[in-house]
Structures are given as C-alpha cells and as structure tokens.
Amino acid sequence: MEKGTAKRDRTAPSERLEAIPPYMFAELERGIEEKREQGIDVISLGIGDPDTPSFRYIVEAMREAVGDPSTHKYPSNRGRPEFREAFADFYLRRFGVEIDPVNEVIPAIGAKECIYNLCFAFLDPGDVALASDPGYPVYTGGPVLAGAEAQLLPLLPSLGFAPDLDGIPEERLEAARLIFINYPNNPTGAVVPDGFFERAVELAREHQILVVHDNAYSETTYDGYIAPSFLATPGAKEVGVEVFSLSKGFNMTGWRCAAILGNAEAIRTYWRLKTNVDSGLFEAVQLAGAAALRGPRKHVEEMCSIYQRRRDLVVDALRTIGVEVEAPKGTVYVWAPVPRGQTSTSFAALVLDKAAVVVSPGSMYGPSGEGFFRISLTTPDELLSEAVERLRVHLAP
Ligand SMILES: Cc1ncc(COP(=O)(O)O)c(C=O)c1O
C-alpha cells in the first residue's frame, strides 16, 4: 500500500475548489466542441468578448511603452503616476467624481482578479459576501474560495433587476462584510434603478459593509443613456470602492487592465493582499491603459453604435419567434425569458440542437437566472445575422 493512502489523492482539488461549480464557460465550450466534432457549424453567442480589435491609438501607445525600458521591471502594485493620474482625470471628466491619484486608485490585473482578491483581503471563514444573483460568477466563487460564504441577492425583474436590499435576513446582514453590485448589469443588461446606489450606501453605513461596485460596462450604453459611477453617489467613497475595467468599453479584454478606485483604506488593504499574491500590472499595459482613457471618445461611441445595431437585430428576431424581450440600455448582452414550458438549459439545448446557435442558459449565472437566456452581441455582424436567421427559421412558433 502506498504510504499515505488514507489521504486524499495527490491530484484531488481542495474542498474549497470542489465547492464551486465548474466555470460556466468551460461547460459551454464542451457542448460546442462536441457539435463541431460532428462537423456542425456552430455559432456561439455565449461569450462576451469584443470581436473588434483594441483601438489603434491604444496599440500604438503600447508599442511605444514596450520600447521604454523603464516599463520592463517588476511593477509596483501601487501603479505608475501616469496611470493613476489618467484615471483621476477620466473620473472627473466622465463621471464628475474627484479621485485623489495618490491614495484613491491603484491598478488591477483585470476586474476578475480584483474582485477575487477583494474576497481574500476582507473575508474570513464565517463572513458573508452579498452577491447579485444572477451575477458574474466571481461574486460567488471568490467568497467560497476565500473560505467564506456568498449570500445570493435575487435581482428582481419587478425592481428593474435590483435586489431587495430591505429583504435581506438580519443575521446575514450581521455577517456580511462585502456586497457586490454591478450596473449596467451582466447578465440582465439592466441599468441602475433610481435611488439604488443611494440605498446601497445607507445599507453599508447601517451594517459596516464595504460596497464593491463592479463597473465593467459604463462605457457600453445605448439610446443616449449615460451610465453613472457608483462613486458619484453622496457618501459612496466612505463605504465603497468601484472596480473599473477597460476590457469591454475599450476592447481590451486580453490586456488585463483595470483599476480599483474609491475608499483609500479599503484600497490599501487590497494593496496589502496583492503584495503577497502578485507583482502588479505590466507597466507598459498601465501606460497603454492611461492612453486609452485619455484618447478620443469617438472610438467608444462607434462601438456603442455597432452594439446598438446588433442589439436591435437580435431583439427584432427574438420578438418574431415569440420571445418577449426588452431592449437593454447597456452592456453587450440581451437577456430574455425562455418560451413557456422550457427551462433555461432545455431552451439552450434546443437552440443548439435545432439552430446550431449557442445561447447561455440564465441559470449559469445563478438560480435567479432560471427562466432566462443570454445572447452576447460581441459576434461579427455577418455571423450574428446568420445566427438570427437560423433562430427565425428553426424556432419560429
Ligand atoms: C460584470 C463583469 N465584471 C467583470 C468582468 C471581467 O472584467 P475583466 O476582463 O476586467 O477581468 C466581466 C466580464 O465579462 C463582467 O461581465
């Protein structure tokens, strides 16, 4: 008998890792692969990853930054002054929010890293993070991996896809140290309902909770809607932080470029954690990120008009096949109810089977996503038109 057989297998994952469901896109990718192996030409509308390149001026800034040897060393987790100042200027210009570039902003290696590490910076076993449901998976996986718990906050269609902050059980509020919110919202496409950020500030004050607003989509909005920063809410900086990602608004998903802004003490704690975990964001990426924020607005606006056109195409097609859907004012997703008699997964399987199109079942984003599916608008026009045509032909009632 091999010594130590009473122990778990050497390659067995930790119990914490076992406790979280497999990463949702991994599941989705397996389904697509199977079809493709059968020779079927599948169009995926599953993943929100911009199909158009990063803007040229950002690539040029990167080219220059990479040629500068001062960027080649280990970065500090505090970030370069150019990065911090570009963020402070952007927040003032874009959101009317004053940010102290010395204490109130540092880089993150993407919003995903930031949210995950915030869990390790602030949560202990027995603590709770309040997490939007449906929501970006790290809001629930992060707390579990940190040995804490996630308390799901159902996003209610009747409240404009906001959680009922007054309905959270008292003992969970007592254990809660973090609340994750996100508007414009993935996956529902909802924009922040009036008064919601203000109520979140109150709740945070009443219960010693740190608000984490995940601002991944403020630059991707439609029909003239301009998304606010959470930090523009009176009192927000006293109780919260905002994670701003350049991934979607600036077509930079691969660059891993984001920042955390707001409460200086909370940012210091996050920085302390990071000094133990990673060695910061490549400084050339920081300089390119700074250039992105200082660049002309027209590129962001062009992207919004591309997505708005695609959104209308998808919404029209869904309506013709009998799906009652509202056109979202933000994000790169259309969130729609599945037809009567279907579940999220049965409908996604039906669409894959009949039309060879991948949509994401809403239940992948949490139990309150059941009864919905999500379509991503980050697919080139011709492919999206083809997918929409397939839906019309194969799924018409
Ligand atoms: C709500 C939300 N937050 C964060 C992210 C990830 O951002 P990043 O690429 O900066 O890690 C995504 C990506 O889909 C998202 O939808």
Side-chain angles (χ1 to χ4, degrees), residues 246-317:
L246 279 80
S247 283
K248 305 294 162 82
F250 297 84
N251 290 356
M252 291 175 72
T253 48
W255 301 56
R256 315 312 304 129
C257 188
I260 180 170
L261 306 102
N263 187 281
E265 271 307 310
I267 290 174
R268 217 184 324 277
T269 305
Y270 164 74
W271 167 82
R272 226 174 105 192
L273 185 276
K274 267 172 81 72
T275 56
N276 288 284
V277 174
D278 65 58
S279 298
L281 177 63
F282 181 23
E283 291 197 0
V285 173
Q286 292 187 38
L287 292 177
L293 296 175
R294 292 195 187 282
R297 197 68 201 160
K298 66 174 187 208
H299 304 284
V300 171
E301 284 162 4
E302 270 165 29
M303 284 314 302
C304 290
S305 56
I306 291 172
Y307 291 135
Q308 185 172 317
R309 195 179 66 232
R310 292 177 184 174
R311 175 203 67 172
D312 292 341
L313 191 76
V314 168
V315 165
D316 260 15

Side-chain angles (χ1 to χ4, degrees), residues 23 25 48-49 108-115 135-139 182 184-187 214-217 243-248 252-254 256-258 332-333 374:
Y23 191 52
F25 291 133
D49 193 351
I109 311 172
K112 191 177 188 179
E113 172 267 294
C114 187
I115 292 160
Y136 188 57
V138 187
Y139 309 154
N182 157 234
N185 181 262
N186 176 18
D214 179 4
N215 187 0
Y217 296 98
V243 185
F244 184 96
S245 170
L246 279 80
S247 283
K248 305 294 162 82
M252 291 175 72
T253 48
R256 315 312 304 129
C257 188
V332 292
Y333 310 109
R374 194 192 82 171

